[in-house]
Amino acid sequence: MNQRIARGQIIAVSLSLAAACAAAAAPQFQKTDRGAVVETDTLIAEVRDGVVIRLHNKLTREEYLDPTADLRAVIPHLPSGLGIQAGDEALASAEKLYHWPWWEHPNSLYLPNQHYPDDRSRYEFAASGDRACRLTYKGLTDGKRRYDDEEYALSVEVEDKTGDLLLTPEGRAPRPGVYAANVSLAPLASAVTAEAPICDGLRLTRQNTGQVLWVNRWCSFWEHAFLALNGWKRGAIGIWTQDAQLRYYKDMFYLNNDQGLSFSFSIMNVPPFEDLKAAKSLPWRVQAFDKSWAQAVERYRSWRDANVRFAPRPDYV
């Protein structure tokens, strides 16, 4: 009898410990005055005014973004928020930005086709169950004008199966011509570099990119919608999207100025855009790794090989 009681107590304690461990592994969402902080098993991310301002790798205790960067000197010149070509000026700016699939522009370029939230935008936080939230910003700007009737939202979710952090941007405007929604990062920390599948592989640093805004179109020059950030010691952060049907145009922008090297990621609506008043992207996935960028590449490659069907090459190729 005593053995049965003891065994029952052990089972009860074990179940309690299992429940406690499961609760500890659940993602944590914390609302802030201008965004949110989310913590998963592998990383901590923070969003402020629609921009990812912190990526912390819990596996290696490394920070990947610069918390001291002045976003007011970055976001107006880095395609961010809502992409819209309403009006002649915005249409001309969009044509200039996207005319070539791989090109550079001045790092002080004014972008009237990009409307983004700032500290004057009205902010709303809404939880969605225990694994997601939605950050909505109403009243956008292009750096010179305000658009109080436009909104940008970023859905933040932790996928149960993989633990990936999913960032899904979307935007709306009462005027037609909406063509894209972007996710933007604050500048990289000074010792952090990036690995991009550009021309078979390119390491991006503040030293080798020039003081410009670069445009890279998938799949012309940015061969896969993927980027890896190198930790200053050994870890990595992978950022990618999973478009199994290869349906959407994607762009990666990176801006190098006195604040550092910053990235943004864009997915376009299916054209034509003339009548469209909203854009919603596929999720951008973010995950931390403990050894190197090669782990992030292998994770992306495994998904691609299992889910994307390419036309077979003829025998003579």
Side-chain angles (χ1 to χ4, degrees):
M1 182 70 176
N2 290 336
Q3 290 180 343
R4 290 183 180 178
I5 293 174
R7 187 179 297 113
Q9 289 174 338
I10 291 172
I11 293 173
V13 170
S14 299
L15 291 174
S16 297
L17 289 173
C21 292
Q28 304 295 317
F29 292 85
Q30 177 185 351
K31 177 187 176 184
T32 64
D33 59 343
R34 299 298 305 170
V37 176
V38 58
E39 180 171 358
T40 76
D41 286 342
T42 59
L43 60 83
I44 301 172
E46 181 174 358
V47 176
R48 185 176 73 220
D49 292 328
V51 177
V52 180
I53 64 167
R54 186 186 183 199
L55 287 174
H56 173 82
N57 187 333
K58 292 172 62 177
L59 306 176
T60 60
R61 300 181 181 179
E62 294 172 317
E63 295 285 349
Y64 287 75
L65 304 181
D66 181 0
T68 68
D70 183 0
L71 296 183
R72 295 171 298 181
V74 175
I75 301 304
H77 313 297
L78 177 70
S80 301
L82 175 69
I84 183 169
Q85 55 184 25
D88 293 341
E89 187 178 26
L91 183 62
S93 179
E95 196 281 331
K96 179 179 182 180
L97 185 65
Y98 291 101
H99 186 77
W100 299 105
W102 184 55
W103 201 246
E104 62 182 66
H105 300 279
N107 63 7
S108 58
L109 185 66
Y110 169 53
L111 297 166
N113 56 307
Q114 298 290 158
H115 299 178
Y116 55 88
D118 63 4
D119 57 6
R120 293 174 56 188
S121 303
R122 304 180 300 281
Y123 164 61
E124 298 175 1
F125 174 95
S128 178
D130 59 358
R131 303 192 70 87
C133 67
R134 177 183 170 89
L135 316 178
T136 303
Y137 301 88
K138 297 180 179 180
L140 309 183
T141 181
D142 65 6
K144 293 184 178 181
R145 305 179 185 89
R146 298 208 68 83
Y147 302 88
D148 288 335
D149 52 4
E150 296 181 354
E151 73 174 52
Y152 171 84
L154 187 65
S155 294
V156 182
E157 179 184 357
V158 179
E159 189 174 58
D160 190 19
K161 182 179 179 180
T162 63
D164 292 347
L165 177 65
L166 308 183
L167 302 176
T168 306
E170 59 184 290
R172 300 180 183 278
R175 290 161 292 279
V178 173
Y179 64 83
N182 294 46
V183 170
S184 297
L185 307 184
L188 303 186
S190 59
V192 173
T193 60
E195 306 287 341
I198 299 172
C199 299
D200 292 330
L202 182 64
R203 174 165 290 182
L204 304 173
T205 71
R206 294 185 66 176
Q207 290 71 39
N208 69 7
T209 57
Q211 293 284 305
V212 295
L213 167 68
W214 277 101
V215 178
N216 287 268
R217 165 62 55 86
W218 172 90
C219 58
S220 301
F221 290 90
W222 188 31
E223 292 155 2
H224 303 279
F226 170 91
L227 183 74
L229 305 180
N230 295 307
W232 66 278
K233 287 184 177 180
R234 60 186 174 86
I237 295 279
I239 303 171
W240 71 96
T241 192
Q242 297 183 174
D243 180 10
Q245 296 181 335
L246 306 178
R247 176 176 172 83
Y248 300 101
Y249 282 115
K250 309 163 192 73
D251 292 272
M252 180 177 69
F253 305 93
Y254 50 99
L255 174 76
N256 192 3
N257 66 10
D258 59 2
Q259 296 300 310
L261 182 62
S262 314
F263 289 85
S264 72
F265 308 93
S266 173
I267 293 182
M268 283 189 170
N269 278 329
V270 176
F273 312 128
E274 284 77 8
D275 296 327
L276 302 181
K277 297 181 179 181
K280 183 175 182 179
S281 167
L282 294 172
W284 290 95
R285 292 174 176 263
V286 183
Q287 185 57 275
F289 300 89
D290 63 347
K291 292 183 175 63
S292 79
W293 60 269
Q295 292 172 291
V297 170
E298 181 56 33
R299 170 69 194 283
Y300 173 80
R301 183 189 293 120
S302 296
W303 167 82
R304 182 201 64 187
D305 291 349
N307 294 278
V308 180
R309 297 179 61 186
F310 295 98
R313 292 186 177 185
D315 294 338
Y316 56 81
V317 174

